Amino acid sequence: MEEGEQQWKGVKSAIEDPEEARVIYCALDSFVQYARIAHFNCTHLRRQSFYALPEAHWKMLAAPPFNYLDTLDKVDNAIESNAELARAIVRVGLVNFQPQDVTQGSEPTIPPRWRGCAKRLDIDKARSTLRQFYRDWSAEGKSEREICFGPVFRALEAQKESRPRDASPMRVLVPGAGLGRLVFELCAKGYVAEGNEISYHQLLASSYILNCVEKPGQHTIYPWIHTFSNHSTRDNHLRKYAIPDVHCANELTRLEEEGVAIGEMSMTAADFLCLYTEDYQAEAWDAVACVFFLDTAPNLIRYLETILYCLKPGGLLINHGPLLWHFENNAPGGHGHDDDDGDYDTTGIADPGSFELSDDEVMALVTKVGFEIVSRETGIESPYLLDQESMLQTVYKASSWVARKPHTTA
């Protein structure tokens, strides 16, 4: 594999569009602001509340076995460890998108017009993205990944067995690719995998972890530090994880040297509904793998029609996930942004109109749109960023199913 052969594609050109530039720099600035906001919310405000207690009370809590002030110091250190990853994402993002802006020392520099542009929602997304590295790129997150990736791998292997031995590698599209772990795993298994993602927080982070880390375990993250609730022990509250658990380029090289036929991987930064209804996408994919994705649709019909359009005849739609309808309390368009001024694009996912279905109604809609159901399983326990030691356990009972595009249409 030549250097850079497996890198994400299709991101850098977006900076040429003024609106895209604003979105990108808001994402970058939110990673810059992560540490300051996290320190303020997690420890500064708590120190104020702590010293507002009666003196006898705060002195009791400051002493063993509680050592509450020591805990706050440890949380501050953990925030700084998370922030090292955030700053690395920013540094690489600036180099990729606007090289001339990285000129003042070794630390990332946001252009003056964009400094401080990130708003609360942007910073929330940055914090969420940093936490998601636990699920996608730590060894401890493997159990969560196996639950939702497993159905995808099994369906693809079954499909591959029915194909001629000399057939070209299957092309698999992964909409809502997030931090790119599924795309990487598909590539390592020999598929031509393309991830699609609309969030620049996810795109920036996935580009960094796939292309720029130097070794496994380069960063240490603390995913549970942002809340003080429901911790069974303080040690668990402060639990750390090394990421990534694998160096992508080295792993693909190792597989090649062992004679494994690896595939290809790429990434598109675009609205799924807009890009994959282009003429050149018609019947271009052997499978579309949707993991925790279909419930991001305000209009599921549009999603299903787009997938049907871009699948080859006989191609598979593989789904695994819950039905946490993302737009249930948030109409499409402005998407509930706190800076919504009513002046926004209304194409693709931002088209007006939304609805929410039950799981059995989703299955009826899948067939109504034109798919044939191949298999279905419900009630699969699927944790998502679950702290296994927490006193609060939230686990989805996911629906997992495979549908096929008919070889002929009526």
Side-chain angles (χ1 to χ4, degrees), residues 25-47:
Y25 279 118
C26 281
L28 288 166
D29 185 60
S30 69
F31 284 114
V32 172
Q33 291 196 49
Y34 161 77
R36 179 178 62 82
I37 299 299
H39 284 306
F40 180 80
N41 289 332
C42 295
T43 58
H44 175 73
L45 293 179
R46 282 187 170 84
R47 286 189 178 94

Side-chain angles (χ1 to χ4, degrees), residues 1 6 184 187-189 247-257 260 262-263 265:
M1 180 182 66
Q6 299 294 343
F184 167 74
C187 173
K189 291 180 179 294
H247 185 276
C248 296
N250 289 349
E251 177 65 11
L252 294 178
T253 299
R254 182 188 67 80
L255 291 171
E256 282 190 317
E257 290 174 348
V260 176
I262 67 168
M265 64 180 180

